[in-house]
Amino acid sequence: LQQTSIRNNKRDNCFFAPKFSSKEEAILEFLKDLQKTSKEEVLSMTSIDENLYCIYPNIIGYGTSLDNTLLADYVKLMKERTNIGLSSIRKKIKSSAFKIKTLTWEKARRYEGISGYKPLSIIIENQGKEYEITEIKMVYSMNGTFKVGVIGF
């Protein structure tokens, strides 16, 4: 029943705003945006509307935790995980002079209408020290555009 309800929310012709032309650009712009704001919602990360109407209807039924969790509980859990992850990343990118040294990916995950790209390794250099960013869990691609979609810890 929940799967049908979530699928019924699916919008045709979803587009990310802002949108990025590659998964690497999506991560770089996300990190830059994260430095500029202390807010919980970062524009270069999927919004709640993008998740509810574009992402969730396309990933349900593909073995994600959404398959076995009520939508309200899933949204709450993702928000909590995101906030912890954002706080952790902010500590690693305090200086505006960070640069991405290494960025590798797992094999793309194909869902209905979208693709997901899980970073295997993200190493940044900041003020002469290297940090691994493990909190970015997924970048989504839809209609030729990319956006950071899942943050965790």
Side-chain angles (χ1 to χ4, degrees):
L1 183 62
Q2 173 173 292
Q3 287 189 2
T4 301
S5 174
I6 291 172
R7 283 198 178 104
N8 287 341
N9 285 335
K10 184 177 179 180
R11 288 188 187 151
D12 293 329
N13 297 326
C14 286
F15 290 94
F16 292 134
K19 57 188 176 184
F20 304 102
S21 60
S22 71
K23 53 192 183 286
E24 294 81 8
E25 179 187 17
I27 287 184
L28 180 60
E29 294 304 317
F30 167 76
L31 293 173
K32 287 178 182 178
D33 284 353
L34 194 56
Q35 284 185 311
K36 296 175 190 172
T37 183
S38 60
K39 295 180 183 176
E40 291 177 2
E41 195 165 317
V42 180
L43 292 178
S44 55
M45 188 174 87
T46 55
S47 68
I48 188 65
D49 281 351
E50 288 169 328
N51 287 331
L52 289 174
Y53 302 112
C54 301
I55 303 297
Y56 298 165
N58 284 300
I59 67 170
I60 195 158
Y62 282 84
T64 67
S65 57
L66 180 59
D67 294 351
N68 302 308
T69 308
L70 292 174
L71 180 59
D73 294 339
Y74 186 80
V75 169
K76 181 180 176 186
L77 174 67
M78 294 304 288
K79 183 176 175 69
E80 290 170 0
R81 293 183 70 208
T82 296
N83 290 339
I84 293 168
L86 292 176
S87 177
S88 178
I89 295 171
R90 281 187 175 108
K91 292 175 186 172
K92 297 173 186 177
I93 58 170
K94 289 178 190 171
S95 164
S96 61
F98 79 88
K99 70 176 185 177
I100 297 175
K101 288 192 70 176
T102 306
L103 180 50
T104 57
W105 303 91
E106 288 185 5
K107 184 179 175 187
R109 298 172 188 200
R110 306 284 182 219
Y111 301 105
E112 183 180 317
I114 64 173
S115 295
Y117 300 90
K118 182 173 178 53
L120 187 61
S121 175
I122 304 171
I123 306 293
I124 63 164
E125 186 178 305
N126 191 355
Q127 297 179 327
K129 295 182 181 177
E130 287 188 2
Y131 299 92
E132 183 173 19
I133 296 181
T134 58
E135 298 84 359
I136 300 174
K137 303 298 185 183
M138 189 70 69
V139 174
Y140 289 112
S141 170
M142 181 172 50
N143 295 320
T145 62
F146 297 81
K147 203 166 185 185
V148 170
V150 180
I151 303 295
F153 57 91

